[in-house]
């Protein structure tokens, strides 16, 4: 019996080795196509430089949707279509004003601030009030009797001990999202939030806030890190210091936006779907190059490269440019809603929404068995610098697909050290993206899509 068993084992090993070699060659074809003929960087240049910031509800949002349809057609999609969804329409209004007012006669430069997304304005006269600085919600509770009639300043810095900066962001972002309503509960007139960043510059970083309808809505702004330190020092040493703050932002009625979708039809299972995408919207104050123009052009590039390299997926590959991730996630919700209503079978979904930096691996929300299967492909990823498959996570836009259908989801995990230098700030521009890093991210994503399509999860 021993000889037949050994022969069978040898045969299986040979088949496995042949399959790995075949996969390695296919991924190399994808890589060569992307690294030598990619359209991703040029697509990103057009998106950022001719359209720029494209917040939901803005005229630039409409232009970006038309750009997405054209880019997907140029990439060779078999079918391009849109999904209509209602999106919020928040407008920033006039340039924000913030300055320190004091009995001292020194010249004090204005504070660099940006209104938080979805925030209400101060009113045309602005707000002038003393500032109460706190570094935690616990401190806010301890000082709740001092809050009324003041501007609350959440001065909570990024935790430098986290190696992956997304952990620092996850730790600090609660002050942006919950801070205004928590302060309003005790009578605050407005809120200033230290920007969500490790950066050394003074760019303020905007981002969405969420109001608790149980309390009055008050104006909220993010402040640049240098000015955050300056404000903290000033109010500590100057009892007369107050801050004047004026914003004119407002929330208008919902309007219509669209998910933009391109498909490469599956050769064997056309009614099974693998989704890959990024979100098309960005904040109004920047070009949205890393967040998330990079994810959009990487996703389009995968479709183009599959077709150019002669790799026809077995399942239908869907590239989705999601609407309204930044201040509502309406596009992702609509995509999942329609997938469920149409009883679609979604095998896998992958998003890129962590910047166009050097890829390191993938975050995944999958079963342990599915994670083990992906890890078994590690030798195929290592030549391209991808090795980290342990993090739990998935993109915001594909999260509803997992909740509604149980779809395994993943997100490209690039090196994170520089991402929050640019995130939601005026510095998130085309020039901040490295062409080679952007393309390597597309290579890694394409390899994962190829393997999941071939072997399933």
């Amino acid at each position: 019996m021993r000889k037949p068993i050994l022969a069978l084992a040898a045969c299986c090993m040979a088949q496995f080795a042949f399959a790995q070699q075949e996969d390695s060659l296919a991924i190399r074809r994808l890589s060569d196509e992307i690294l030598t003929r990619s359209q991703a960087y040029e697509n990103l240049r057009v998106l950022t430089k001719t359209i720029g910031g494209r917040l939901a509800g803005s005229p630039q949002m409409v232009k970006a949707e038309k750009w997405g349809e054209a880019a997907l057609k140029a990439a060779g999609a078999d079918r391009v279509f849109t999904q209509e969804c209602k999106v919020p329409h928040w407008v920033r209004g006039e340039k924000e004003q913030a300055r320190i007012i004091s009995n001292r006669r020194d010249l004090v430069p204005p504070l660099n601030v940006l209104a938080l997304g979805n925030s209400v304005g101060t009113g045309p006269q602005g707000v002038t009030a003393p500032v109460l600085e706190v570094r935690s919600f616990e401190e806010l509770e301890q000082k709740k009797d001092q809050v009324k009639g003041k501007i609350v300043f959440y001065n909570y810095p990024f935790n430098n001990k986290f190696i992956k900066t997304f952990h620092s962001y996850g730790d600090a972002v609660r002050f942006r999202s919950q801070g205004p309503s928590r302060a309003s509960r005790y009578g605050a007139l407005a809120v200033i939030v230290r920007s969500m960043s490790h950066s050394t510059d003074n760019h303020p970083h905007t981002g969405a806030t969420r109001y608790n309808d149980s309390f009055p809505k008050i104006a909220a702004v993010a402040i640049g890190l240098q000015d955050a330190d300056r404000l903290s020092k000033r109010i500590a040493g100057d009892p007369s210091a107050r801050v004047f703050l004026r914003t004119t932002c407002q929330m208008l009625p919902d309007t219509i936006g669209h998910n933009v979708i391109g498909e490469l039809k599956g050769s064997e299972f056309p009614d099974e779907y693998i989704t890959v995408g990024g979100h098309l919207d960005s904040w109004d104050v920047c070009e949205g190059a890393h967040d998330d123009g990079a994810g959009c052009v990487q996703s389009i590039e995968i479709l183009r490269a599959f077709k150019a390299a002669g790799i026809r997926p077995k399942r239908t590959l869907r590239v989705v440019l999601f609407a309204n991730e930044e201040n509502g996630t309406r596009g992702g919700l609509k995509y999942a809603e329609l997938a469920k209503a149409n009883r679609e079978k979604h095998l896998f979904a992958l998003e890129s929404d962590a910047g166009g930096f050097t890829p390191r691996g993938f975050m995944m929300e999958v079963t342990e068995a599915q994670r083990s299967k992906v890890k078994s492909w590690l030798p195929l990823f290592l030549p391209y610098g991808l090795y980290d498959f342990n993090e739990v996570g998935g993109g915001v836009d594909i999260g509803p697909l997992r909740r509604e259908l149980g779809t395994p989801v993943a997100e490209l995990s690039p090196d994170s050290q520089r991402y929050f230098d640019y995130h939601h700030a005026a510095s998130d521009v085309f020039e901040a993206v490295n062409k080679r890093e952007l393309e390597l991210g597309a290579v890694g994503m394409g390899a994962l899509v190829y393997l999941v399509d071939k072997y399933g999860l």
Side-chain angles (χ1 to χ4, degrees):
M1 283 293 292
R2 186 170 176 79
K3 287 184 178 180
I5 292 173
L6 289 173
L8 179 61
C11 180
C12 290
M13 289 294 289
Q15 289 176 337
F16 177 76
F18 176 78
Q20 276 219 325
Q21 184 180 27
E22 184 180 57
D23 294 336
S24 178
L25 291 172
I27 293 170
R28 173 57 67 182
R29 289 210 315 277
L30 273 176
S31 175
D32 288 349
E33 177 61 35
I34 292 170
L35 295 180
T36 60
R37 287 179 286 276
S38 171
Q39 296 300 305
Y41 194 65
E42 175 59 15
N43 279 338
L44 184 63
R45 186 195 65 79
V46 174
L47 176 63
T48 55
K49 293 303 181 184
T50 68
I51 299 173
R54 43 199 183 273
L55 189 61
S58 68
Q60 290 78 16
M61 174 197 75
V62 178
K63 291 180 181 179
E65 291 173 355
K66 298 300 182 185
W67 167 88
E69 290 183 78
L72 284 163
K73 289 174 183 176
D78 297 328
R79 177 189 177 211
V80 177
F81 62 101
T82 62
Q83 292 176 337
E84 181 178 304
C85 59
K86 289 280 190 175
V87 298
H89 187 188
W90 179 82
V91 293
R92 183 172 301 278
E94 300 171 19
K95 171 65 179 166
E96 299 89 341
Q97 299 177 42
R99 62 179 180 270
I100 297 171
I101 298 174
S102 169
N103 293 340
R104 296 180 184 177
R105 294 183 178 273
D106 56 335
L107 292 175
V108 182
L111 298 169
N112 200 2
V113 300
L114 283 175
L116 296 184
N118 298 346
S119 170
V120 299
T122 60
Q125 302 306 312
V127 170
T128 302
V131 176
L132 177 67
E133 179 179 0
V134 297
R135 293 180 180 265
S136 67
F137 286 138
E138 291 75 19
E139 186 177 359
L140 178 71
E141 292 298 317
Q142 292 166 7
K143 295 180 176 179
K144 62 184 179 182
D145 294 336
Q146 304 174 42
V147 171
K148 189 173 182 179
K150 294 191 175 71
I151 295 172
V152 169
F153 172 32
Y154 291 104
N155 193 18
Y156 183 81
F158 260 25
N159 187 334
N160 287 322
K161 294 180 182 178
F162 290 118
I163 303 304
K164 293 186 177 180
T165 61
F166 279 89
H167 297 167
S168 302
Y169 179 72
D171 174 56
V173 74
R174 62 188 186 274
F175 297 103
R176 191 188 76 201
S177 59
Q178 304 171 33
S181 287
R182 289 211 181 195
S184 173
R185 177 182 183 180
Y186 300 122
L189 299 181
V191 159
I192 298 172
V193 180
R194 185 184 182 93
S195 285
M196 309 287 112
S197 179
H198 278 295
S199 69
T200 56
D201 59 37
N202 197 38
H203 290 300
H205 296 240
T206 189
T209 192
R210 296 195 302 269
Y211 287 114
N212 183 328
D213 291 335
S214 299
F215 311 112
K217 295 179 180 179
I218 59 175
V221 299
I223 187 170
L225 300 191
Q226 293 175 11
D227 279 353
D229 293 339
R230 181 162 66 92
L231 176 60
S232 177
K233 184 177 180 179
R234 184 60 182 255
I235 61 178
D238 181 1
S240 71
R242 295 170 294 156
V243 163
F244 167 76
L245 178 65
R246 182 179 184 271
T247 63
T248 61
C249 43
Q250 58 181 317
M251 184 68 80
L252 302 176
D254 284 358
T255 187
I256 294 173
H258 300 85
N259 294 327
V260 182
I261 302 172
E263 288 185 342
L264 196 58
K265 204 72 171 175
S267 60
E268 294 182 32
F269 309 105
D271 294 328
E272 295 182 9
Y273 299 97
I274 293 176
T275 294
V276 58
H279 64 83
L280 191 51
D281 62 317
S282 78
W283 286 106
D284 54 319
V285 295
C286 60
E287 294 177 2
H290 279 294
D291 186 21
D292 184 29
C296 291
V297 300
Q298 286 171 329
S299 301
I300 295 169
E301 180 62 19
I302 291 167
L303 187 151
R304 188 204 68 80
F306 264 68
K307 197 151 189 178
I311 300 173
R312 192 75 185 185
K314 293 193 291 184
R315 280 92 177 174
T316 293
L317 173 62
R318 264 192 190 165
V319 173
V320 184
L321 312 181
F322 290 97
N324 180 229
E325 186 270 351
E326 292 294 3
N327 67 332
T329 66
R330 304 280 185 85
L333 292 167
K334 176 59 68 172
Y335 185 70
E337 175 193 322
L338 292 176
K340 185 176 182 180
N342 295 330
R343 297 182 178 181
E344 294 175 350
K345 183 174 181 180
H346 285 257
L347 187 74
F348 179 63
L350 172 64
E351 184 163 11
S352 171
D353 186 19
F357 301 102
T358 303
R360 302 297 190 200
F362 295 96
M363 298 177 282
M364 295 180 282
E365 286 191 45
V366 293
T367 67
E368 283 310 305
Q370 290 167 337
R371 188 180 299 274
S372 294
K373 186 166 189 178
V374 174
K375 284 184 173 182
S376 74
W377 301 329
L378 182 61
L380 295 166
F381 286 105
L382 282 175
Y384 306 95
L386 286 89
Y387 57 86
D388 186 356
F389 299 88
N390 293 314
E391 191 89 4
V392 175
V396 170
D397 297 294
I398 55 179
L401 203 61
R402 178 155 182 79
R403 293 193 293 273
E404 293 294 330
L405 301 182
T407 305
V409 297
E411 182 173 9
L412 180 68
S413 181
D415 186 285
S416 71
Q417 302 311 315
R418 290 174 289 154
Y419 183 61
F420 291 99
D421 288 1
Y422 307 112
H423 183 251
H424 297 177
S427 51
D428 185 11
V429 295
F430 174 71
E431 290 80 5
V433 177
N434 177 276
K435 181 176 185 291
R436 183 76 173 178
E437 292 178 320
L438 179 75
E439 292 168 352
L440 284 170
V443 170
M445 293 168 68
L448 183 58
V449 168
Y450 165 82
L451 291 166
V452 172
D453 175 64
K454 183 174 180 179
Y455 297 108
L457 286 174

